[in-house]
């Protein structure tokens, strides 16, 4: 399942499918009743990292829903790259904690480092998207 999810995500990136439906397809959100812990069991050592990933996914979903509610294609086009980056770091974080569960001696430090990085990226994009309005788009035109 995890490899299929990431392969499909990468195919969408290559095709540059920038729609809310595409973004939502790759979201494994806790807000929609899908629990990451129920989908992919992790070791007890990795459980705190998985909990942090759950909060990152919730922030990604909040941004996706905010853009979707705005119903503005130009706004979606403007923030699409940020939304994809948010989805990517969530997926990659989850994949690395899966590797750390299977081979902790090789991946546990990397998992911690990457989740720290991913959390900062999510926070950066979350703050930008939540504070951005369609009226500000004029400021970004040449």
């Amino acid at each position: 399942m995890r490899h299929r999810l990431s392969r499909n995500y990468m195919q969408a990136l290559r095709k540059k499918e920038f729609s809310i439906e595409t973004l939502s397809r790759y979201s494994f959100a806790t807000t929609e009743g899908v629990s990451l812990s129920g989908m992919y069991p992790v070791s007890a050592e990795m459980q705190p990292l998985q909990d942090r990933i759950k909060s990152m996914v919730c922030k990604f979903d909040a941004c996706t829903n905010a853009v979707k509610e705005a119903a503005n294609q130009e706004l979606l086009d403007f923030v699409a790259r940020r939304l994809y980056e948010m989805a990517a770091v969530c997926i990659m974080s989850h994949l690395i904690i899966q590797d750390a569960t299977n081979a902790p001696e090789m991946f546990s430090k990397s998992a911690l480092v990457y989740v720290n990085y991913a959390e900062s990226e999510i926070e950066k994009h979350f703050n930008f998207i939540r504070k951005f309005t369609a009226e500000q788009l004029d400021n970004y035109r040449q």
Side-chain angles (χ1 to χ4, degrees):
M1 175 70 176
R2 76 176 199 187
H3 295 293
R4 191 185 76 183
L5 180 67
S6 59
R7 191 173 332 137
N8 289 342
Y9 174 75
M10 294 307 293
Q11 288 172 352
L13 277 176
R14 280 188 213 108
K15 293 178 185 175
K16 296 183 179 178
E17 296 176 0
F18 296 110
S19 70
I20 291 297
E21 290 73 28
T22 305
L23 290 169
S24 299
R25 194 177 320 146
Y26 303 109
S27 169
F28 37 99
T30 55
T31 55
E32 295 177 12
V34 178
S35 168
L36 290 177
S37 60
M39 290 175 61
Y40 304 104
V42 297
S43 66
E45 299 160 348
M46 294 295 119
Q47 191 60 47
L49 294 180
Q50 189 172 41
D51 294 339
R52 289 167 59 187
I53 294 170
K54 286 180 185 179
S55 69
M56 291 171 12
V57 170
C58 287
K59 288 181 180 183
F60 167 69
D61 282 337
C63 289
T64 302
N65 292 334
V67 173
K68 193 178 198 177
E69 289 170 8
N72 184 329
Q73 186 62 41
E74 191 177 13
L75 176 64
L76 172 63
D77 292 343
F78 185 76
V79 299
R81 180 183 53 83
R82 290 171 180 86
L83 291 171
Y84 266 108
E85 287 176 5
M86 291 175 79
V89 295
C90 288
I91 291 169
M92 289 186 284
S93 296
H94 188 69
L95 292 175
I96 198 163
I97 67 166
Q98 286 299 301
D99 289 338
T101 294
N102 296 330
E105 64 283 349
M106 291 179 65
F107 295 107
S108 62
K109 287 182 182 178
S110 297
L112 179 61
V113 169
Y114 190 79
V115 171
N116 286 341
Y117 164 76
E119 225 170 14
S120 68
E121 288 296 303
I122 291 288
E123 198 63 37
K124 174 180 76 172
H125 293 313
F126 177 75
N127 286 332
F128 183 86
I129 292 170
R130 295 297 282 186
K131 294 177 182 177
F132 194 82
T133 62
E135 292 78 34
Q136 293 173 326
L137 286 170
D138 288 338
N139 299 329
Y140 291 85
R141 293 190 185 103
Q142 290 186 7

